[in-house]
Every structure is written in C-alpha cells, then in structure tokens.
Amino acid sequence: MNRIKNHKKTRLLWLLVAAALTLSACGSDKYAKRYQNYVKSLIALNYLGVTDEDVKTAGTTDSDANTVYNDNIEFLANNIISYYNVMIDNAPEMKQGFVDLAAKIYGKVNYSVSKAYPYGSVYLVDVTIHPIDLFSQSSAEVAAYVYGFNEAVANGKYDDYELAAYEKEFASGLLYILNEAAETMTYADPVTLTVEIVETEDGYSIRERDLMDIDACMFNTNVVITEAPQSTTEE
C-alpha cells in the first residue's frame, strides 16, 4: 500500500477562482468581514461544491467554479484508487463509487476562517484546518480486509471469476469500509495558516502559495499503516 501524497491540483484552476474583485467596501470592519467571506468562499468552492453566493463572493463564474470542484473530486478519487492499489481497468463502472466517496470526504472538510486583520500595509486572514484522518482511521480495518481477501485468493475462492468480477469484488469491499469510516470522520490536530490578502488597484486575491498550503493541510499525510499479519501460505 502506498503512502498518501500531498495533492497536486491543477493550480490554474485555483487561480481562476482567486480572481480579483472590485473594491467597494469602506472602513476596516467591512474589509475584515469581506476578506473573511472571500477566503471562506474560495475554500467552499474547492471542497464543498458550488453555490451562487460563493461564486459571487469569490468573483468567479459557475462554469469555472464547477470545473474546479469536479476536477478536485476526480483528483481525490484517483488518488484513493492509486493509494490502495485498486485495479478497476476491467470494471470501469466502479470508478463512480470512488468519485462519490471523494465527494463525501470533501463534504466533511473541517475548517474555520477568522476575520481579516491589518498587519502593516496588508490584511491577513487566519485559516484553521482540522486535517482529515480517514486513512489512519480506517487503516486497521482495511489491512484486515486486504489480508482476508488475499487469503481467499490463495485458497482458490476467486479461481472461477472473470477479471472484471474479481476487481469489482475487491473494490466493492474497500469502498464499503471507507464509506463507513467517512460517516464517522476523524481529524488530526488542527493547523492554523495565515493567508495574505493581495490588494491591487483593480481588486484583491490571495497568493497561489497560500492556496497550496491550505490544500496540503486538508489531509493528514502522516499516515501510520497498520499491517495485517503476513500469510504463511505458499503460492
């Protein structure tokens, strides 16, 4: 089983969401709330799905926002498939199950965003993230499942299966475990990041680096893999 890696999304999509907006607020209190809502909307559009309010606040379009969200879901689904070495080339219908799982996982991102506050000549916003710990949370059960499945393979249970049916059987069991774990999602210790609001004559945005840092903290990547006992069955 591979260790989970930090996500590497198509950053251009993030930057499309981080489009500049027209400055119209006056007074520090209005800026504080406006920038807070802006950062909250950026995060929501990437992980929680598209709403008219978030699209307006982030200064993007429905089309771009949906592209961002759907690509993020697709990326996570592929990451999970790769992480667990799932082979579904002969059972492509199973892919939707991983896409649905990814949407469920992202639907439970746990974060909060502070009001913006002045720091010298710029405004800063603190983002506190509770990293998703699903992979450690389900590690023992997944390891036991993989061990049991391998034992069944060694004992000839799947000798008469077509390859597609074999792949579907394994993927279905894994999806069940991960979906059950996602229902009672656990999180690692919270991490607080400070995001800088970049103001220009035309509007404001946040830096790509800050978006990347937020993305990297959404999952606990320090996963401890619980190993099942090794089979002594000779092949």
Side-chain angles (χ1 to χ4, degrees):
M1 191 179 296
N2 300 323
R3 287 188 175 275
I4 188 171
K5 300 177 181 178
N6 287 342
H7 302 323
K8 296 181 179 178
K9 296 185 177 67
T10 304
R11 298 301 170 187
L12 177 60
L13 295 176
W14 281 88
L15 295 178
L16 285 172
V17 175
L21 302 178
T22 301
L23 290 172
S24 60
C26 56
S28 60
D29 287 344
K30 289 186 178 180
Y31 279 118
K33 187 65 175 178
R34 173 164 293 210
Y35 292 157
Q36 176 191 32
N37 289 337
Y38 170 64
V39 174
K40 286 172 67 177
S41 291
L42 289 182
I43 297 173
L45 288 173
N46 274 276
Y47 299 105
L48 299 177
V50 177
T51 68
D52 291 342
E53 182 178 355
D54 287 327
V55 167
K56 180 179 179 180
T57 302
T60 186
T61 65
D62 286 342
S63 176
D64 285 343
N66 276 300
T67 296
V68 170
Y69 176 70
N70 290 330
D71 281 4
N72 287 347
I73 294 298
E74 179 81 9
F75 186 90
L76 177 57
N78 289 334
N79 201 12
I80 293 171
I81 290 169
S82 175
Y83 175 56
Y84 288 108
N85 293 322
V86 178
M87 303 296 178
I88 54 173
D89 292 344
N90 294 285
E93 69 276 10
M94 294 302 298
K95 176 64 178 294
Q96 187 60 47
F98 287 94
V99 171
D100 293 342
L101 171 64
K104 177 186 287 188
I105 293 169
Y106 271 159
K108 295 192 174 185
V109 291
N110 188 346
Y111 67 96
S112 60
V113 180
S114 76
K115 286 186 177 181
Y117 55 92
Y119 184 80
S121 61
V122 301
Y123 275 89
L124 302 178
V125 176
D126 291 334
V127 179
T128 299
I129 299 168
H130 297 258
I132 292 169
D133 203 27
L134 179 70
F135 301 100
S136 285
Q137 174 189 355
S138 58
S139 177
E141 190 171 358
V142 169
Y145 170 68
V146 172
Y147 174 73
F149 194 90
N150 287 338
E151 285 284 279
V153 170
N155 291 331
K157 178 178 179 179
Y158 301 106
D159 287 354
D160 295 332
Y161 277 54
E162 296 290 337
L163 185 56
Y166 172 82
E167 291 180 353
K168 185 174 181 179
E169 182 83 3
F170 177 77
S172 295
L174 179 63
L175 278 170
Y176 177 81
I177 293 170
L178 296 177
N179 271 296
E180 287 294 299
E183 291 293 335
T184 56
M185 187 83 74
T186 61
Y187 302 87
D189 293 338
V191 178
T192 298
L193 306 173
T194 300
V195 173
E196 179 182 341
I197 302 297
V198 180
E199 298 174 315
T200 67
E201 292 182 357
D202 298 322
Y204 54 86
S205 63
I206 66 175
R207 299 182 189 279
E208 180 185 10
R209 180 189 65 242
D210 289 335
L211 289 166
M212 292 172 67
D213 288 344
I214 290 171
D215 182 50
C217 287
M218 280 298 177
F219 280 87
N220 174 25
T221 56
N222 298 318
V223 179
V224 177
I225 303 299
T226 303
E227 299 290 353
Q230 296 298 310
S231 172
T232 57
T233 303
E234 294 184 2
E235 296 184 2

